[in-house]
Amino acid sequence: MVVDGGTVAWVGSEGAADSYAAGADEVIDLDGALVTPAFTDAHVHTTATGLALTGLDLAPSRDLADALARVAAFAHAHPAHRVLLGHGWDESRWPEQRPPTRAELDAATGGRPLYLTRADVHSAVVTSALLALVPGAEAMAGHHPDGPLTRDAHHAVRRAAYAAVTPEQRAAAQRAALAHAASLGIGAVHECAGPDISSEDDLTALLRLAAAEPGPHVFGYWAEAVTGAGDLARIRDLGAVGAGGDLFVDGSIGSRTACLHAPYTDAPAAGGTAYLDAAAIAEHVALCTEAGMQAGFHAIGDAAVAAVARGVREAAARVGLDRVRALRHRVEHAEMMTEETVAAFAELGLVASVQPAFDAAWGGEDGMYAQRLGAERARTLNPFAAMTRAGVPLALGSDSPVTPLDPWGTLRAAAFHRTLEHRISVRGAFNAHTRGGWRAVGRDDAGVLVPGAPADYVVWQAGDLVVQAPDERVANWSTDPRSGTPGLPDLTPGLPLPTALRTVVGGRTVFARPNE
């Protein structure tokens, strides 16, 4: 491969490459390493990811006592922090099957302000001192006297918590997250920001940092419903490429706020939370389409996904189906899909921005999905194969810090889905995690290594290259020389995943593994 500046200039056989070597400024012998396009993570919360990397991570907690001990140790080690921030608790994994109480957290922190998000980031537990910084929080929807906060109360305390993060802390967290992404072979991230998630300052600071320093490309989305021209202008002024990302139609399954047609199995009185109805969705999509701006939504539950399909169809009736399809409006997560909503996504040209690691973390007969929904409904979640067969474009991501940045692990989760009929080939998942992410931002020329494409690529230390597909007939044909199907690393669970040796973005090395 020959790279000229930030562009792939030539790709061909080793013998033909000799004619280019004499005129090259630098020749790198890869010694048999694998080269692929860089990955694109289509759903990231960069600052929160960096804060989790550098701060209090409760994901490894074995039980409630372990989590409280980690909180106490973190508070003791950071006496100068105005607000203690942490992430990753998941009571469904603990033997106690409950989150920490406010009194327990008050004791662990010595009465200091603390904000701890659940693994899905749709609820949080806080200390009394943090709640005191948010006047009126007790009267907001989603407030619980001693349990996790959801809805408006959660959004309010999140704003207060992140307002205490200094610009220096924020920049350090953003750099840490982008550097970590580069070390994993990620060359682009889609930042999903919004007024209920981060702040305008957080998004604009991230975009400035990414433009000024070597690292992955960053494409920003702003999750605010558009009701007029002023909203569109403000979103453009922020530097966002779309009015979407985590524009909440509902919440999450783990926090029982995903909006369902039927109640939760483990909470029969609960059916989730609907933040936007089909009429509001239609208005948002129609206004964005008329302005030439990509729209998008967060929708997880079957009722929420159905509302998106109805709303986008109503918008298409107003402004034209071809115009709607052309902008590739997005739906984040899209977990509880039915045959009808899969068909609607294909018809309307909606991109499904999905997170296979959700299934790896919470799927299976004994996983959190089965606890919340029952085993039968849980088996229907994340039907990647049905979506692929129907022609729904997929873009893969992590929703980090909900699940970690881990592109090869993401591919493994898609190819070895806990429900056999939802599995897709490693090649299909790879395309969705490279080219699919670029197509989701309207770029068809990137995510591949061909002449004229951006020089975003990764050099990998990898094992044997194989073809893996759920259908053995497909796999057998793909290994036939006549198919011309290139192999990819063997992602069979239990085998080591590839290691990035060098990550290049726009022709510039943004990560090089030491001593390689």
Side-chain angles (χ1 to χ4, degrees):
M1 182 169 69
V2 176
V3 173
D4 185 4
T7 304
V8 176
W10 176 89
V11 177
S13 68
E14 186 173 352
D18 291 341
S19 62
Y20 290 93
D25 295 323
E26 181 183 13
V27 176
I28 301 174
D29 184 349
L30 300 180
D31 194 26
L34 172 68
V35 179
T36 72
F39 287 105
T40 294
D41 193 310
H43 193 119
V44 174
H45 303 285
T46 307
T47 302
T49 296
L51 291 171
L53 286 169
T54 59
L56 174 56
D57 180 10
L58 293 181
S61 301
R62 300 181 303 275
D63 52 31
L64 178 59
D66 183 26
L68 290 169
R70 290 171 186 263
V71 170
F74 186 81
H76 178 74
H78 297 86
H81 283 203
R82 289 182 288 176
V83 173
L84 300 165
L85 302 173
H87 169 73
W89 60 270
D90 184 351
E91 82 290 355
S92 70
R93 297 179 181 273
W94 295 342
E96 298 87 354
Q97 292 286 297
R98 71 168 179 87
T101 65
R102 195 161 298 153
E104 288 169 334
L105 294 173
D106 287 347
T109 60
R112 294 169 62 189
L114 169 75
Y115 172 72
L116 285 181
T117 46
R118 192 182 184 278
D120 57 20
V121 198
H122 282 269
S123 59
V125 288
V126 303
T127 56
S128 302
L130 179 60
L131 205 60
L133 299 178
V134 188
E138 291 87 348
M140 294 179 184
H143 176 266
H144 300 280
D146 197 40
L149 306 182
T150 61
R151 302 177 62 187
D152 295 348
H154 177 215
H155 298 159
V157 298
R158 174 160 50 193
R159 282 192 290 270
Y162 281 112
V165 176
T166 67
E168 293 76 20
Q169 282 178 296
R170 182 173 61 203
Q174 291 170 348
R175 286 191 181 96
L178 294 177
H180 184 56
S183 76
L184 297 170
I186 296 170
V189 299
H190 298 179
E191 164 67 18
C192 292
D196 291 328
I197 301 160
S198 52
S199 67
E200 293 185 3
D201 287 345
D202 185 84
L203 175 60
T204 55
L206 172 63
L207 295 178
R208 284 196 304 270
L209 185 148
E213 300 180 6
H217 304 286
V218 177
F219 297 95
Y221 284 87
W222 185 250
E224 189 169 358
V226 170
T227 59
D231 297 329
L232 289 160
R234 188 177 70 261
I235 291 168
R236 286 198 173 99
D237 288 344
L238 291 174
V241 298
D246 275 331
L247 178 52
F248 297 127
V249 177
D250 68 344
S252 74
I253 294 168
S255 292
R256 298 188 189 88
T257 51
C259 193
L260 312 182
H261 285 307
Y264 285 86
T265 298
D266 65 349
T273 303
Y275 295 110
L276 295 174
D277 60 15
I281 292 164
E283 180 73 2
H284 179 73
V285 172
L287 290 172
C288 286
T289 302
E290 288 173 333
M293 177 176 283
Q294 187 183 35
F297 305 93
H298 159 120
I300 286 179
D302 49 5
V305 174
V308 170
R310 288 196 305 273
V312 178
R313 186 171 280 120
E314 289 177 23
R318 284 169 51 180
V319 302
L321 177 59
D322 289 345
R323 293 178 70 188
V324 166
R325 287 178 59 90
L327 283 167
R328 306 177 186 182
H329 301 308
R330 296 172 54 147
V331 182
E332 309 299 316
H333 316 309
E335 290 200 82
M336 295 184 71
M337 302 286 283
T338 64
E339 288 185 14
E340 293 75 18
T341 50
V342 168
F345 273 45
E347 172 197 354
L348 298 166
L350 295 174
V351 175
S353 170
V354 297
Q355 295 74 40
F358 286 7
D359 175 73
W362 302 310
E365 295 296 311
D366 300 318
M368 181 272 289
Y369 290 153
Q371 292 176 25
R372 295 286 187 268
L373 305 172
E376 184 176 350
R377 271 195 296 178
R379 281 191 292 270
T380 69
L381 265 64
N382 300 298
F384 305 135
M387 296 163 84
T388 300
R389 283 194 302 271
V392 177
L394 300 184
L396 270 53
S398 64
D399 198 6
S400 179
V402 175
T403 56
L405 298 170
D406 180 13
W408 289 111
T410 295
L411 268 57
R412 174 180 280 171
F416 294 92
H417 196 295
R418 291 176 181 270
T419 303
L420 181 60
E421 59 264 34
H422 298 334
R423 294 177 176 179
I424 59 176
S425 70
V426 170
R427 171 63 56 181
F430 179 81
N431 289 340
H433 212 353
T434 51
R435 196 169 194 180
W438 282 99
R439 285 176 165 169
V441 292
R443 290 278 300 275
D444 292 335
D445 63 329
V448 290
L449 298 180
V450 297
D456 299 343
Y457 61 92
V458 188
V459 180
W460 301 97
Q461 178 182 323
D464 293 337
L465 303 185
V466 298
V467 174
Q468 290 177 302
D471 189 325
E472 288 187 6
R473 295 169 298 174
V474 174
N476 290 339
W477 165 245
S478 297
T479 57
D480 188 299
R482 292 171 293 174
S483 74
T485 303
L488 283 167
D490 188 343
L491 301 186
T492 301
L495 294 180
L497 294 173
T499 300
L501 303 178
R502 179 189 294 245
T503 302
V504 177
V505 174
R508 301 173 67 185
T509 296
V510 298
F511 168 78
R513 189 162 298 280
N515 304 319
E516 295 292 345

